[in-house]
Amino acid sequence: MARTPAKTPGDTKLGPNTILATAGRHPFEYHGFVNPPVYHGSTVLYPTADDLFAHRSRYSYGRRGTPTTEALSDAITTLEGGAGTVLVPSGLAAITTAILSVAGAGDHILVIDSTYAPTRHFCDTTLKRLGVETTYYAAGEDFSALFRENTRAVFTESPGSLTFEMQDIPALAELAHKRGAAVLMDNTWATPLLFAAHAHGVDLSIQAGTKYFSGHSDVMMGSVSANADYWPRLRDTHGNLGLCAGPDDINLVLRGLRTLGVRLERHQKSGLEIAHWLEERPEVAAVLHPALESHPSHALWKRDFRGACGLFSIVLKPVSEAAVRAFLDALSLFGMGYSWGGYESLIIPFDARPLRTASTWAPEGPALRLHIGLEDVEDLRADLDRGFAALRAADDGIASPK
Ligand SMILES: *Cc1c(COP(=O)(O)O)cnc(C)c1O
């Protein structure tokens, strides 16, 4: 099946929202319908023995790709400005696939101390068992002395999970490349819309598609986009691991992707309104949001990022754990649960202390991570207001400095 030319732009000079609306679609390959059909398939038939012997077919087997997987991976490649994209069944699988495509027995990797907790767990267990050593580095630290002869990759995340430290990605990439190491970045917070990872020196750009790409809390998905240097080994590793994402899940993510731009604008706007309001609350000691001027590396965010999403954290003034529980239980619009990036607001308490080995996390009081969804801001503020009233009523005045 020949691809209809020119209707869909591979032209990355188009604006990001135009790319979102057009990428990965070829309507006249499917009778003019706007969206690609969802192919469920394993076996691909060859019309003649000649075709079979010559492997003359655009597709060979379901695991190796279908028109459905191509629709989403092409869209992500266009959005990321990379050379190719693989799809995997979760964000964590995207992380492990990216790392396994650059490191093997006898190698060493550097990982940001504030990385997503399951990434750290993978490095400390499975990766270690496979003979790859991990050293954690702190955000803002000069970590050039941590490179070794066998350092193959720097794995980074900016802002960091839970605690939102920013990093100078172009400087990090320059250093890593000088030492012959690949730069891997979990770019889930910003998405390719708000931070152009490849353009800032990242070789493998990772997305938990479960979050904003899908946007509806109804699917698990991950993607890794590679630049030309790293695309062959990423594609090969992905194939060897036998990873493939399900067609209905891919269709949900492709559907979510079309509205990513408008959703992120709203998440950013509402998120900042709530963040500014929280900064003024007497119960709050600090708001950890890179787009706030009070953030210690706000300048880096401003220089490199095109915006912010709806995810940030707060540190409360010291209060008892009972008061934190009362606060959480008084909320009705903020759901308590893991993950984020859907249309709904979420909140979780966290303690990052056991998750840091190269830096110290010593907050003044209990910490909470918030995801600001697409609800009306006044309603979210009123919900938090009720929470703070319950917190004050429950606080016995004796802070529990854990
Ligand atoms: C959620 C998340 C992941 C993992 O995604 P899953 O689809 O849940 O496996 C990876 N990185 C970050 C920063 C995340 O927030």
Side-chain angles (χ1 to χ4, degrees), residues 133-148:
E133 220 184 318
T134 301
T135 303
Y136 295 96
Y137 72 94
E141 165 192 40
D142 171 11
F143 63 101
S144 50
L146 299 179
F147 280 86
R148 302 179 191 168

Side-chain angles (χ1 to χ4, degrees), residues 245-259:
D248 291 321
D249 291 345
I250 289 170
N251 192 46
L252 284 174
V253 174
L254 197 52
R255 182 184 168 119
L257 203 60
R258 304 296 177 201
T259 57

Side-chain angles (χ1 to χ4, degrees), residues 16-23 25 257-258:
N17 288 292
T18 308
I19 291 173
L20 290 173
T22 53
R25 302 198 287 118
L257 203 60
R258 304 296 177 201

